[in-house]
Amino acid sequence: MYTQAIDLPQGKDESDPTRGPRSLKEVEYEAEFDAKLAQGGFIEAKEWMPEKYRRTLIRQISQHAHSEIVGMLPEGNWITRAPTLKRKAILLAKVQD
């Protein structure tokens, strides 16, 4: 349903020479970032991360939030139509979760 490459410019990648020079500090930060991930560490929101990583992360969080909201819509419509009180309680619990 979703794709990560939907709004990336065509023909652009990390090895693209038009990307411009990176600062030494950025290279150091990226090496620390990669080392932390390789060791199984966690990256917090306020920590430095590559821009492409941050954009992908924000996109994934947005998709998750969207599915949380939209996921209950079809089931919410059936609460008033549930045949028994037990089934109504089951649907309410699902929507609440």
Side-chain angles (χ1 to χ4, degrees):
M1 185 170 178
Y2 296 106
T3 179
Q4 293 298 324
I6 203 163
D7 44 57
L8 294 177
Q10 295 297 322
K12 298 282 185 185
D13 62 1
E14 290 295 319
S15 62
D16 188 3
T18 61
R19 183 170 181 249
R22 296 181 357 189
S23 68
L24 183 58
K25 198 66 159 171
E26 186 178 345
V27 172
E28 289 174 3
Y29 284 151
E30 193 164 347
E32 290 174 15
F33 176 83
D34 291 338
K36 189 170 185 177
L37 286 180
Q39 293 174 357
F42 293 100
I43 305 299
E44 298 295 329
K46 299 283 183 180
E47 294 179 343
W48 184 91
M49 62 184 76
E51 190 58 34
K52 285 180 78 174
Y53 185 90
R54 184 176 298 277
R55 279 187 281 146
T56 301
L57 188 61
I58 290 170
R59 184 180 174 101
Q60 289 176 343
I61 292 169
S62 299
Q63 290 172 357
H64 181 73
H66 179 264
S67 69
E68 287 285 328
I69 293 168
V70 174
M72 70 83 175
L73 291 176
E75 304 206 2
N77 293 334
W78 287 96
I79 293 172
T80 58
R81 301 176 193 151
T84 64
L85 186 58
K86 182 179 178 181
R87 294 221 179 152
K88 188 175 281 200
I90 291 169
L91 279 172
L92 283 169
K94 286 181 79 173
V95 170
Q96 182 181 8
D97 286 344

